[in-house]
Amino acid sequence: GMTSPRGARPQEPPRPGGRVTRGASAAPLVDTFGPGGRPMPVPRPVASCLERGLAHRAVHVWLCVPRTGGVLLRKWGREAAKHGRRWGPTVHGEVRCYGAGGDGHAAELAAQAAERELTEQLGLSAGGTNVGQLEHWFSCAMEDGSCKELVDVFVADIEGGGLPPLPLRPGEAVDWVFCGHVFEEHCPGAELLFHMRKEYRASMLRRCRA
């Protein structure tokens, strides 16, 4: 479940009652934010956010094996909108407007987005066979060129017999790597990894070693 209080996640949507409005666009829409995290009035497709350099909400999911300190790195394909041909989190996706849960939110909660992306991208269910529940570790602003994100980071432990074959896209790969070899500031092969702020690295290392 979410471990940070709502006040620590200021971009989390309010919880009004009423009917959820569904977006008409074929491309999923995301809330956008201006300077200082100020919400902008019109949701946009992710491609538009990347073209315009607009901040938007996203989630990372890391699968890990606590007893070994291993995390599952994923190499993203050439055609990926983010992290193209670089190694990054096991799952990376956006928090969509007009979430499908029908629970009255103007947008998904970050936890809903993380669960949905884990299933859509890898065919896995949090709390399912060999996959633990998602735990919210921290929130962090990220910036890589025109890609600006407000990221909620989730982790799920891998238990028992490991993972089934994953439905990766062409050009993608996964590899189990010791957490220190990913998040240490001067780790070997850092140029092959997705862009991380020092805050992100430090938070991951601290929680992995707890």
Side-chain angles (χ1 to χ4, degrees):
M2 301 290 283
T3 56
S4 296
R6 174 166 293 275
R9 306 191 304 278
Q11 284 76 33
E12 201 82 307
R15 302 183 178 223
R19 185 178 180 83
V20 176
T21 304
R22 305 300 176 100
S25 172
L29 300 177
V30 296
D31 284 326
T32 57
F33 300 87
R38 175 178 53 85
M40 301 181 73
V42 180
R44 297 181 182 274
V46 174
S48 177
C49 294
L50 297 178
E51 290 169 3
R52 297 166 179 258
L54 297 174
H56 54 283
R57 297 179 62 219
V59 291
H60 289 178
V61 178
W62 290 94
L63 299 182
C64 70
V65 179
R67 58 185 173 79
T68 65
V71 295
L72 189 63
L73 270 177
R74 180 175 177 183
K75 184 179 181 181
W76 295 80
R78 181 193 300 267
E79 304 302 322
K82 303 172 182 178
H83 312 320
R85 296 199 290 183
R86 288 186 287 177
W87 292 86
T90 318
V91 169
H92 182 183
E94 291 74 38
V95 179
R96 296 179 184 173
C97 291
Y98 319 122
D103 55 2
H105 298 305
E108 295 176 298
L109 296 177
Q112 292 171 328
E115 290 178 2
R116 175 182 53 74
E117 293 286 357
L118 180 63
T119 300
E120 290 181 358
Q121 294 185 25
L122 298 182
L124 301 175
S125 298
T129 304
N130 297 336
V131 181
Q133 296 289 344
L134 288 173
E135 182 181 0
H136 182 268
W137 274 17
F138 62 94
S139 303
C140 181
M142 304 279 281
E143 185 170 342
D144 185 13
S146 65
C147 181
K148 300 176 182 178
E149 298 176 306
L150 308 171
V151 179
D152 283 287
V153 180
F154 293 82
V155 173
D157 295 347
I158 299 304
E159 306 158 344
L163 293 173
L166 300 176
L168 300 176
R169 298 172 181 170
E172 292 187 340
V174 291
D175 193 17
W176 287 103
V177 181
F178 177 63
C179 64
H181 296 165
V182 179
F183 303 116
E184 292 283 1
E185 191 166 359
H186 301 293
C187 63
E191 70 279 1
L192 302 177
L193 296 173
F194 76 116
H195 177 73
M196 286 179 279
R197 286 186 170 182
K198 182 182 292 188
E199 171 189 356
Y200 190 105
R201 293 179 181 275
S203 296
M204 286 298 297
L205 277 176
R206 183 172 62 252
R207 293 299 301 265
C208 283
R209 293 170 172 172

